[in-house]
Amino acid sequence: MDLDKPPAPQPPEGCLVVAVRLPVRIVVLVLVVPVRLVWDALVVAARFLHATVLRPLGRALLWVGRALFVWPFVALWRWVLVPVAQALGWLGRVLVVTPLSWVYVHVLTPLGHAFRWAALGVGAGLAWVGAHLLAPVGRGLAWLARGVGALLAAAGLGVYAGAAWLVRYLVVVPALWLYAWVLTPVGRALTWLADALVTGVGAVLYWTLRILFVLPALALWRWVLAPVGRVLAVVGREVADALGHAWRIAGRISRVVGRALGTLFRWIFVEPARWVYRTVLTPVGHLVRDAVLRPAAQAAREVRRVTRQTLATARDTLRETRRDLRRALFGDPRPPVAVDRREPQQPDPRTLGGSTTVLTKD
């Protein structure tokens, strides 16, 4: 926004606007200030209620809803319905799909091939019958039908030509003469009379309605309704502007009152509570921490360390006792034979009296 730019010129206002504006704004301000104070108080209360009650309650209800409705259905779906569906699918595959597949492959497919070969044979026979028996008979019947149709068409054309000539000279020509020389002049005369009658009646009705309704309504609108509407528009505009100004001023007043109440609440409740916490509870807490909690924690750590050492000693003693008892009952364990795994063992060397073959081995 350009601060150096001069404000836009305001249109000139009449004396009616100036006379209506100040009392309307005073009355509206008096009426709006309590409403704005109540509104701001309700907004603050609603925000506090939403932050402290509704949001935790909504989260609790959401968790309860999940625990009561979502998680049981998820568990039912995961641990009951899915295994049952898998078992039913396996049973259906074993009991229905596999037997049907076997029947289709080993029974229906050979039967289908047999039916196909039989149908091919029957079709070949029917094709031979149609080609050598039915086709000549059909050609003869078609030739006979074409001859009969030609005769009937010639007779029909003659009858149609005679009937058309009779209709033309007995019906069409007299009707055209009657339309051209009788009906057309009569219709034009009736049309001219109707136009003249409608024009005269319309003019009479137009001037009657204009004098009785339009001119009085126009005068009422021009000299009564329009001035009253302008006055009401000015009053309505000023009332709307007054409501806007009053709402903004009431907001500032409400902000000042809220800050004053907040300051009073802080000096009556918050500052004493802070002073009590700083000067009383904090030293007491430090004293309890240094005199009670830290020695108790140190003693607990010592007890835990001693207990751990005692358990370790008891475990080692039990292990030694078990080893001595096993040595007394079964003796010392046999030492393992050392084997050099880095190089493979060489077989015995071949001599004159020995052989590695099957036939000469001793």
Side-chain angles (χ1 to χ4, degrees), residues 102-307:
W102 184 87
V103 170
Y104 175 77
V105 172
H106 296 87
V107 177
L108 297 180
T109 301
L111 289 177
H113 291 305
F115 286 143
R116 187 185 66 179
W117 285 108
L120 290 175
V122 174
L126 293 177
W128 183 86
V129 170
H132 295 84
L133 296 178
L134 298 179
V137 175
R139 293 190 187 97
L141 292 176
W143 181 80
L144 181 61
R146 282 197 298 271
V148 174
L151 292 176
L152 293 176
L157 289 174
V159 173
Y160 174 75
W165 185 84
L166 291 175
V167 169
R168 177 180 177 83
Y169 288 99
L170 295 178
V171 177
V172 176
V173 173
L176 291 175
W177 183 86
L178 179 63
Y179 175 78
W181 300 100
V182 177
L183 297 179
T184 300
V186 173
R188 289 176 180 174
L190 293 176
T191 302
W192 181 81
L193 290 176
D195 290 339
L197 181 62
V198 169
T199 303
V201 173
V204 172
L205 291 177
Y206 170 75
W207 285 105
T208 302
L209 294 177
R210 182 178 177 84
I211 294 172
L212 294 179
F213 297 99
V214 176
L215 294 178
L218 184 62
L220 179 64
W221 169 261
R222 181 175 298 174
W223 304 107
V224 178
L225 296 180
V228 173
R230 294 191 187 96
V231 174
L232 293 179
V234 171
V235 174
R237 186 175 65 250
E238 291 301 324
V239 169
D241 294 340
L243 284 174
H245 288 289
W247 187 259
R248 289 190 292 271
I249 294 172
R252 296 179 180 177
I253 296 174
S254 175
R255 189 180 299 112
V256 172
V257 172
R259 290 176 180 175
L261 292 177
T263 304
L264 184 62
F265 179 79
R266 185 175 68 251
W267 286 107
I268 293 177
F269 296 100
V270 177
E271 292 298 332
R274 183 182 299 174
W275 180 83
V276 170
Y277 175 79
R278 187 186 300 115
T279 59
V280 178
L281 297 180
T282 301
V284 171
H286 291 171
L287 179 62
V288 171
R289 182 190 62 186
D290 296 336
V292 178
L293 297 180
R294 284 183 178 176
Q298 185 66 28
R301 285 194 294 269
E302 292 295 332
V303 169
R304 186 168 61 251
R305 185 175 59 80
V306 172
T307 303

Side-chain angles (χ1 to χ4, degrees), residues 75-85:
L76 179 65
W77 171 263
R78 182 177 298 173
W79 304 108
V80 177
L81 296 180
V82 172
V84 170

